[in-house]
Amino acid sequence: MTTRRVRARRGEGVLLREEILRAAEDLLTESGSEDALTLRAVALRAGVSTPSVYLHFADKEALVEAVCMRVWDELGRLFAVNLGGDPFLALGRCARAYARFALDHPVQYRVLMMRPSATPGVPPAAAEAFLHMVRAVTACVETRVLEGDPEELALGLWSAVHGCVSLLIAQPSFPWPRDQEALIDHIVRQAGFGAALYSRLPRRLPPSAELAADLDAFGARLAARVAEDS
């Protein structure tokens, strides 16, 4: 049973905002959809009046984005945990962690990353995600496993991983492979090795047959080098 909350005393505004966000998060978890986050429903769950919600959030969109941002700190923690050691391997770990985070929080990811933001400018969630990726890529550029502008490279890699998880979230009925982890690993490796090769390719490419031959030779040398080191 929902009980009516007593009127907040002066200085309790931050606490009231937290109670509203917690109530909204509970509704989001229970329903699995942001559609349940009407201001009236959230006010009822928090035990406050609807106008009290408006004191902290201009509209439903602002409330929805705020409650979804509550999980976003976890993404930064995942990147921090996976950075370190060999930078190219760390980049792969970070990309896989990003994908798992998105699939673990599909509603929040869809709200923050798969639809236009309710406010102008770059949404904070997108800005933070891109910054994390740039940091991981910068370490690879510093060791020359990747060559080029870190932001341009990060944008390409981020787009690949985002595209993968967005499709998994938006098209659940598509006949995806049962092993999603293997699919994610495939996309991450494809994007990572593709970026490493692309950053060294000339702008003017040879005909396809010649390029295929060159890539075959490169692949054979790389495989032999890996075999020697293992």
Side-chain angles (χ1 to χ4, degrees):
M1 181 177 68
T2 301
T3 58
R4 176 60 57 184
R5 186 183 187 277
V6 298
R7 182 181 179 86
R9 295 189 297 272
R10 181 171 304 206
E12 292 184 340
V14 174
L15 295 177
L16 176 56
R17 186 179 190 277
E18 177 62 24
E19 289 179 17
I20 293 170
L21 286 173
R22 189 160 50 244
E25 190 171 42
D26 290 343
L27 284 172
L28 186 68
T29 301
E30 293 168 9
S31 67
S33 171
E34 66 271 27
D35 294 339
L37 299 188
T38 65
L39 296 184
R40 182 176 181 181
V42 172
L44 184 63
R45 174 61 68 94
V48 301
S49 65
T50 302
S52 295
V53 180
Y54 277 109
L55 290 175
H56 297 275
F57 304 97
D59 51 30
K60 175 183 174 177
E61 290 301 312
L63 172 61
V64 169
E65 287 200 8
V67 72
C68 288
M69 282 296 294
R70 286 167 68 83
V71 304
W72 217 248
D73 286 345
E74 175 68 11
L75 181 61
R77 189 192 69 79
L78 288 172
F79 267 79
V81 167
N82 284 287
L83 286 175
D86 183 278
F88 196 57
L89 297 180
L91 176 62
R93 291 194 300 268
C94 288
R96 294 180 188 91
Y98 181 97
R100 286 194 294 270
F101 170 84
L103 297 178
D104 286 342
H105 305 284
V107 179
Q108 291 92 332
Y109 192 84
R110 185 176 68 247
V111 168
L112 295 174
M113 301 295 291
M114 296 171 60
R115 68 176 193 174
S117 174
T119 57
V122 179
E128 289 181 20
F130 182 58
L131 181 60
H132 293 320
M133 192 65 73
V134 169
R135 287 171 177 162
V137 169
T138 298
C140 293
V141 172
E142 290 173 350
T143 57
R144 297 194 64 248
V145 67
L146 297 178
E147 292 188 353
D149 180 78
E151 291 194 357
E152 290 183 5
L153 293 166
L155 186 59
L157 294 169
W158 183 36
S159 298
V161 180
H162 169 75
C164 175
V165 296
S166 294
L167 283 171
L168 288 169
I169 292 171
Q171 302 295 332
S173 298
F174 188 81
W176 300 108
R178 289 186 178 181
D179 191 346
Q180 286 191 356
E181 292 295 321
L183 173 64
I184 291 169
D185 183 69
H186 172 76
I187 297 298
V188 169
R189 289 171 63 86
Q190 187 178 62
F193 284 113
L197 283 172
Y198 176 77
S199 65
R200 289 168 168 78
L201 290 177
R203 290 187 177 273
R204 185 179 179 85
L205 295 178
S208 296
E210 294 180 21
L211 179 60
D214 290 341
L215 291 175
D216 284 342
F218 172 78
R221 292 197 302 272
L222 182 59
R225 176 65 181 275
V226 171
E228 292 175 2
D229 293 342
S230 62

